[in-house]
Amino acid sequence: MAGQSHYTPEMPDFDRPVKVLIVVAPFYKDIADDLVAGARQMLARVDASVELVEVPGALEIPTAIRIAQRTGDFDGYVALGCVIRGETTHYETVCNDSSRALTLLGLDGCCIGNGILTVENHDQAAIRAGEQDKGGGAAAAALHLIALSRKWRGTGKGIGFKPHGEDMRQS
């Protein structure tokens, strides 16, 4: 992989303040701290308001985001943590289930940057959390999705049924 370059879209501009919740599972505290630092640095570039919560593990991250989505006032979310392969199949369960739950939340309209590292060993995690700045990358992903959400908010297609309580528009 050395020598490859990756395209990264320009960061969006925001005309209204952005509020982001970082949900981190600090099981590997040194890795989590680097991921959070990268995310905070990226979010500071757009003067985002940031709140941070810790949960016990990667499986709890999607649940915490869903609770915040229902009860909080956030524009987007950054999921951070690290899962290192062990000797059992628990690794696959945690990786697959946390990723699937975050994807389902995203498909439901939640603006999430997924920065849960899934690695073979601590050295790989340290590189991804540090020099590769996967925490910053996850925050950037959330910001891009927030920008898209704001761009397309209220631009319904005018077909189908309206949810209960929405006024009918006359042409």
Side-chain angles (χ1 to χ4, degrees), residues 76-91:
Y77 307 88
V78 180
L80 300 176
C82 179
V83 185
I84 298 176
R85 186 181 300 277
E87 296 176 2
T88 69
T89 59
H90 184 64
Y91 172 84

Side-chain angles (χ1 to χ4, degrees), residues 162 166-170:
K162 295 194 178 294
E166 285 192 20
D167 293 335
M168 297 292 285
R169 289 185 239 168
Q170 298 292 331

Side-chain angles (χ1 to χ4, degrees), residues 21-28 32 52-65 67 78-81 116:
L21 175 66
I22 298 173
V23 180
V24 63
F27 192 80
Y28 300 100
L52 173 75
V53 295
E54 293 183 351
V55 295
L59 289 174
E60 290 76 37
I61 293 172
T63 302
I65 289 173
I67 292 167
V78 180
L80 300 176
I116 299 175

Side-chain angles (χ1 to χ4, degrees), residues 19 30 41 43-44 57 71 73 76-77 99 106 113 118 122 157 170:
K19 186 174 179 185
D30 59 328
Q41 186 175 36
L43 295 168
T71 61
D73 184 29
Y77 307 88
S99 178
T118 55
H122 191 276
K157 298 203 183 268
Q170 298 292 331

